[in-house]
Amino acid sequence: MSAPEISVILCTLNRSAYLRKALDSLLRQTLPLERFEIIVVDNGSADDTRSMVEREFGHLPQLRCVLEPNQGHS
């Protein structure tokens, strides 16, 4: 993948259902996938956030999930 033109950064804490909707929405927009990257910053979620991202969106080369264990420090 070449360098993306746009970085979309989604910071989340225990909001896997909302995150799924946001990611689905990003993938439906009209900009070609290779022109943007998505970075999910998981702020120490205790729900299924990480596993949902890996299970449903892990195949996307433009998506990264970063763990930030200190809440509020995205």
Side-chain angles (χ1 to χ4, degrees), residues 37-57:
E37 68 177 341
I38 303 167
I39 302 169
V40 174
V41 180
D42 181 356
N43 208 195
S45 297
D47 65 357
D48 70 331
T49 294
R50 182 107 182 164
S51 63
M52 181 278 297
V53 170
E54 290 173 354
R55 180 180 63 251
E56 298 185 27
F57 302 97

Side-chain angles (χ1 to χ4, degrees), residues 3-67:
E5 298 172 38
I6 298 172
S7 296
V8 178
I9 303 170
L10 301 170
C11 303
T12 189
L13 174 63
N14 297 327
R15 300 282 190 261
S16 67
Y18 294 114
L19 179 60
R20 179 184 294 112
K21 290 179 183 181
L23 291 170
D24 283 337
S25 179
L26 283 170
L27 296 175
R28 285 193 312 269
Q29 53 80 40
T30 58
L31 189 68
L33 293 175
E34 62 274 1
R35 295 182 58 193
F36 68 96
E37 68 177 341
I38 303 167
I39 302 169
V40 174
V41 180
D42 181 356
N43 208 195
S45 297
D47 65 357
D48 70 331
T49 294
R50 182 107 182 164
S51 63
M52 181 278 297
V53 170
E54 290 173 354
R55 180 180 63 251
E56 298 185 27
F57 302 97
H59 65 283
L60 300 170
Q62 70 271 29
L63 181 126
R64 287 189 298 142
C65 192
V66 178
L67 176 62

